[in-house]
Amino acid sequence: MKNPNAKFQTRAIHFGYDAKEFHGSLNPPLYMTSTFAFDNVQQGSDAFEGENSHYIYSRLGTPSQALLEQRMASLEGGEAALATASGMGAITSTLWSLVQPGDEVIADITLYGCTFSFLEHGLKKFGVQITYCDLTKAENLSKAISDKTKVVFAETPANPNMRLINIKALAEITKNTEAKLVIDNTYCTPYLQRPLEHGADLVVHSATKYLGGHGDLIAGFVIGDAETLETVRYFGLKDMTGAVISAMDISLILRGLKTLHVRMDRHCENAKKIATYLHNHEKISTVYFPGLPDFEYHDLAKSQMDQFGGMIAFEVKGDRQTGAQLINQLEMILCAVSLGDTETLIQHPASMTHSTYSEEELEAHLISPTLIRLSVGLEDVGDIIADLEQSLAKL
Ligand SMILES: *Cc1c(COP(=O)(O)O)cnc(C)c1O
C-alpha cells in the first residue's frame, strides 16, 4: 500500500496486496500447497539455515499466510503476527514458547473454559505454577508478581462475565519485569481495542469469532514483536503444537477482515439496543454490558475500547432452570456456543463453554451458575428483541 496513513478500514481490505502483481486478480491467489520446490540442494540447505527467504513447508508458512499475518499485524499495530489453526492453537503455542518448569503464569480469575483447562490441566502438569489473581485491580498484580512470573494473561472483556481489565495499568507493572503481558482480544477485535497501544506485549485471538465472522471456520492469531513471534512460530507452533492454519481458512479470514468494521459497527449498535431492552425488563435481574452507564466498568470501557462490543451477559430472575427455559423457548435465536457470528447465539456458560470448571471453581472464578451469554448477531434488532420478548413473556 502506498498510503502509509491509510485508516483501519482501508488496511483491512488492501494491506500487503497489490493486484497488479497478480494479473489484476482482485483477490489474492491462494497457495494450496504443503511444500515448496527448490532449484537445487544448496538453495534448500540455505533456506533451512535462514540464509534465503525461500518457502520450505507449510507448517512454517506460505505466501497466503504471510499476507494474512502482515494484514493482521497492521490492524493490531504489532510488528509481526502468526496465524494458527485455532484460538487455543494460538494460546498454547504462545505459552509453550514462554515458560519452562519452575516458571509462573499469573492469569485473571475469569478465562475462556479451554484456556483455564489448558493452564489448570495442561501447563500445571509440567511444573509451571499457575496463580489466579483478580486483575481488575492492578494492585493485586503488583503484590503477586515475582522473578518467576513469565506471563501475565487476561481477557478483556472477560468471557463470559464481561469483567474489564485495565491493560495500561497492568502494563505499567509488567514493563520492568521479565513477564510478558498477553491479552486475549477475541471479544473486541482490533477494530474496537488494540491492547499493544496500551502497553501489552502480545495479543492472542480466536479468529473463529468476529475475525472470520461467519461461523464457518476455526482459527487463531498471535500478534506482537518480531523476535517473540519468531520463537512462537519456529518453536511453539512448529514443534510443540503443530497448530497450522489451513489454506482455505486463510482465504476465509482475509475475506472476513474486509467487512470486519461494517459488521462490528452493526454488532455494537444491535447489542446496545438489546442491552438497554434487557436492562429495563422486569424479569431480568442483571445485565453485564460495557455500554450501560451504570455498569461497573463503563468508564474503563470508554477509555480503552472504541465501542462497547457485541457481547452481553445477563441473569434472569429465578434459578438455573428459569434461564434454561428462556433459552429453550427461543424461536430464531440459536442455542450454541461460539460467538461473533452473523446469527444471534445464546448459551449457558456453566453448562457449556465453562463446563470445564467444577461448581467450586465456577464460584471462585466469578462465573455465576445462572449467567446467560448472548452473542448479538446481525439480524434486524427488532426481530431479535421480539424473540427474546416472546420467550420472556412465557416465563
Ligand atoms: C473461543 C475463544 C477461545 C478459543 O478459540 P478457538 O478458536 O475455539 O480455539 C479463546 N479465547 C476466547 C475469549 C474465546 O472466546
Side-chain angles (χ1 to χ4, degrees):
M1 274 180 62
K2 295 209 176 82
N3 175 7
N5 301 318
K7 296 287 188 291
F8 186 99
Q9 292 83 337
T10 310
R11 285 180 283 128
I13 295 171
H14 292 286
F15 193 89
Y17 182 65
D18 184 352
K20 289 193 198 75
E21 293 171 19
F22 296 93
H23 309 283
S25 174
L26 182 67
N27 278 296
L30 184 60
Y31 289 81
M32 215 163 206
T33 186
S34 57
T35 196
F36 295 83
F38 303 110
D39 290 346
N40 51 52
V41 170
Q42 190 57 49
Q43 190 188 39
S45 166
D46 289 349
F48 274 85
E49 294 300 320
E51 283 165 19
N52 65 37
S53 57
H54 203 288
Y55 285 94
I56 299 173
Y57 184 66
S58 294
R59 184 152 26 80
L60 308 174
T62 67
S64 307
Q65 188 177 338
L67 170 61
L68 175 63
E69 290 170 349
Q70 283 158 20
R71 199 166 281 182
M72 193 60 195
S74 164
L75 298 179
E76 277 287 4
E79 252 176 23
L82 172 66
T84 60
S86 65
M88 287 314 299
I91 292 167
T92 54
S93 301
T94 302
L95 295 198
W96 282 127
S97 303
L98 298 177
V99 297
Q100 52 186 23
D103 289 344
E104 178 191 44
V105 173
I106 296 181
D108 180 50
I109 47 179
T110 305
L111 298 168
Y112 171 72
C114 295
T115 304
F116 172 70
S117 192
F118 168 62
L119 297 176
E120 194 59 27
H121 307 138
L123 275 190
K124 227 180 202 180
K125 209 168 78 171
F126 297 90
V128 177
Q129 186 186 324
I130 312 294
T131 306
Y132 301 101
C133 242
D134 178 355
L135 295 180
T136 61
K137 297 180 184 66
E139 59 270 26
N140 290 340
L141 179 62
S142 305
K143 282 183 217 143
I145 202 163
S146 74
D147 293 348
K148 282 187 354 187
T149 315
K150 295 291 149 54
V151 174
V152 175
F153 189 98
E155 302 168 5
T156 181
N159 184 353
N161 55 19
M162 308 297 295
R163 291 162 62 256
L164 259 66
I165 304 283
N166 186 330
I167 302 168
K168 207 173 269 173
L170 298 194
E172 276 300 310
I173 299 165
T174 54
K175 78 175 180 200
N176 296 318
T177 71
E178 270 187 50
K180 293 216 183 291
L181 177 60
V182 183
I183 298 292
D184 183 333
N185 200 28
T186 299
Y187 262 40
C188 284
T189 82
Y191 185 57
L192 302 186
Q193 173 176 277
R194 289 158 306 282
L196 301 175
E197 285 177 4
H198 301 290
D201 297 298
L202 295 166
V203 173
V204 291
H205 277 283
S206 170
T208 313
K209 315 296 168 52
Y210 293 106
L211 298 175
H214 295 75
D216 49 10
L217 63 92
I218 290 194
F221 283 105
V222 192
I223 304 102
D225 66 281
E227 194 186 335
T228 308
L229 262 291
E230 184 151 316
T231 311
V232 178
R233 184 190 304 274
Y234 294 111
F235 175 64
L237 187 135
K238 175 174 83 67
D239 301 335
M240 300 294 276
T241 67
V244 183
I245 190 168
S246 80
M248 190 53 85
D249 290 345
I250 289 169
S251 169
L252 287 170
I253 296 173
L254 282 167
R255 172 180 164 136
L257 288 181
K258 291 186 188 190
T259 56
L260 178 66
H261 54 286
V262 183
R263 290 184 287 106
M264 289 314 288
D265 282 343
R266 183 59 63 85
H267 281 297
C268 292
E269 188 186 317
N270 282 359
K272 207 168 173 181
K273 288 182 184 152
I274 292 167
T276 306
Y277 160 78
L278 291 170
H279 188 62
N280 294 332
H281 201 289
E282 58 183 19
K283 292 185 183 172
I284 304 291
S285 56
T286 323
V287 180
Y288 306 92
F289 180 69
L292 291 172
D294 60 358
F295 183 60
E296 187 178 354
Y297 304 102
H298 181 62
D299 289 338
L300 176 57
K302 281 197 291 189
S303 70
Q304 192 166 275
M305 299 164 66
D306 294 336
Q307 295 182 60
F308 301 118
M311 297 298 298
I312 302 173
F314 65 96
E315 298 192 44
V316 191
K317 286 180 188 162
D319 55 17
R320 206 163 155 156
Q321 201 42 49
T322 323
Q325 194 190 340
L326 169 76
I327 296 175
N328 292 340
Q329 292 172 169
L330 290 165
E331 292 168 358
M332 175 194 70
I333 299 171
L334 297 156
C335 171
V337 299
S338 200
L339 57 100
D341 293 332
T342 51
E343 292 80 1
T344 298
L345 305 177
I346 198 162
Q347 66 113 359
H348 179 233
S351 309
M352 300 177 194
T353 45
H354 292 68
S355 58
T356 55
Y357 292 70
S358 67
E359 289 295 326
E360 299 74 46
E361 285 169 344
L362 284 175
E363 191 179 329
H365 294 262
L366 303 181
I367 300 163
S368 155
T370 53
L371 193 75
I372 293 175
R373 192 187 78 181
L374 185 69
S375 168
V376 176
L378 302 179
E379 302 96 337
D380 174 77
V381 69
D383 289 339
I384 303 171
I385 291 175
D387 198 15
L388 290 166
E389 180 67 30
Q390 63 80 21
S391 181
L392 280 163
K394 291 183 201 147
L395 292 184

